[in-house]
């Protein structure tokens, strides 16, 4: 890639999602990313040949602008749209600029959906975590893939907010026509300062990958 995301060096379970995507979907599958930001996951998916739906409401992430960096520095950051154009990937990505929790971003389900550390942001706490998960699940067609990495509680205040969750608690939302494929978690680790968090800080992260049961299996038979 010629360009680089502001989040390029933050820890991620995305490789595990990408491996499951390659195993379970077609090479040109459609993948929706909730909280697309400036394209850390969008550009690699598009470059790999997938059709991508990028859902993001933050104008700075989409269109770029001045950002405050560690060391009290300021810089102009490229947004998702400019990065896609520079990497000649714009035609492979549908950018949906709206609030995922209030809008209806897609006309039909996708082959897979992914989100990274989006529901723990305080801006999303006005709606229950169950609603966020349910809306993501409804983006996935039968037989499709659901992937989410998320912050787990570290500080005392986190334990009072349901949006800082765990793989065990998330499993409760994946009953019926869902099969949980993989859950992972980290121990506490120190992440270096980055945009939006200008001091070194401590995290715990979790991952849940699940597959939606194909329609032909829902009624106890295989066509």
């Amino acid at each position: 890639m010629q360009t680089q995301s502001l989040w390029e060096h933050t820890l991620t379970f995305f490789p595990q999602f990408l491996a499951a995507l390659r195993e379970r979907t077609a090479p040109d599958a459609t993948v929706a990313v909730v909280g697309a930001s400036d394209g850390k996951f969008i550009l690699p998916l598009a470059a790999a040949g997938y059709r991508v739906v990028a859902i993001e409401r933050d104008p700075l992430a989409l269109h770029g602008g001045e950002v405050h960096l560690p060391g009290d520095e300021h810089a102009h950051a490229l947004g998702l749209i400019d990065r896609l154009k520079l990497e000649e990937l714009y035609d492979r990505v549908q950018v949906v600029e709206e609030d995922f929790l209030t809008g209806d971003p897609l006309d039909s389900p996708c082959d897979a959906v992914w989100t990274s550390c989006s529901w723990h942001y305080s801006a999303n706490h006005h709606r229950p975590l169950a609603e966020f998960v349910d809306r993501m699940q409804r983006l996935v067609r039968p037989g499709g893939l659901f992937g989410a990495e998320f912050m787990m509680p570290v500080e005392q205040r986190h334990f009072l907010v349901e949006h800082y969750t765990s793989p065990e608690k998330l499993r409760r939302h994946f009953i019926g026509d869902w099969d949980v494929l993989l859950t992972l978690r980290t121990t506490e680790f120190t992440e270096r300062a980055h945009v939006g968090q200008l001091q070194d800080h401590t995290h715990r992260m979790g991952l849940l990958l699940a597959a939606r049961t194909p329609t032909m299996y829902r009624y106890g038979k295989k066509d």
Side-chain angles (χ1 to χ4, degrees), residues 4-177:
Q4 192 171 70
S5 168
L6 289 171
W7 308 96
E8 199 71 35
H9 301 296
T10 56
L11 185 146
T12 181
F13 288 115
F14 181 67
Q16 284 82 357
F17 172 75
L18 195 57
L21 191 64
R22 288 170 176 158
E23 178 182 345
R24 305 181 73 89
T25 68
D28 62 346
T30 299
V31 184
V33 178
V34 178
S37 189
D38 66 354
K40 177 176 178 177
F41 308 110
I42 304 297
L43 275 69
L45 286 168
Y50 297 104
R51 295 187 295 268
V52 188
V53 181
I55 306 170
E56 179 59 64
R57 68 177 183 180
D58 181 8
L60 179 62
L62 290 170
H63 305 289
E66 186 177 277
V67 294
H68 191 184
L69 300 175
D72 202 28
E73 296 182 6
H74 290 77
H76 180 84
L78 291 175
L80 171 62
I81 292 172
D82 283 340
R83 292 191 67 217
L84 287 170
K85 290 177 179 178
L86 286 169
E87 302 288 352
E88 299 182 349
L89 295 169
Y90 186 77
D91 291 341
R92 298 200 61 84
V93 179
Q94 175 189 354
V95 178
V96 179
E97 188 171 357
E98 67 176 55
D99 187 339
F100 173 70
L101 288 172
T102 60
D104 189 13
L106 298 180
D107 296 327
S108 59
C110 292
D111 299 295
V113 63
W114 168 255
T115 195
S116 172
C117 302
S118 53
W119 57 54
H120 80 276
Y121 284 111
S122 58
N124 292 324
H125 291 181
H126 64 291
R127 307 292 272 272
L129 174 59
E131 181 179 347
F132 201 112
V133 174
D134 178 68
R135 281 178 170 266
M136 279 189 61
Q137 289 173 328
R138 284 189 276 136
L139 295 182
V140 182
R141 65 162 179 80
L145 182 67
F146 176 109
E149 61 182 10
F150 44 89
M151 293 299 178
M152 296 175 60
V154 176
E155 302 175 19
Q156 186 58 42
R157 63 184 177 87
H158 296 162
F159 288 89
L160 303 176
V161 180
E162 66 167 348
H163 300 76
Y164 289 87
T165 188
S166 68
E168 292 76 19
K169 290 180 178 179
L170 272 182
R171 275 183 175 271
R172 303 169 190 170
H173 301 285
F174 292 85
I175 57 176
D177 60 346

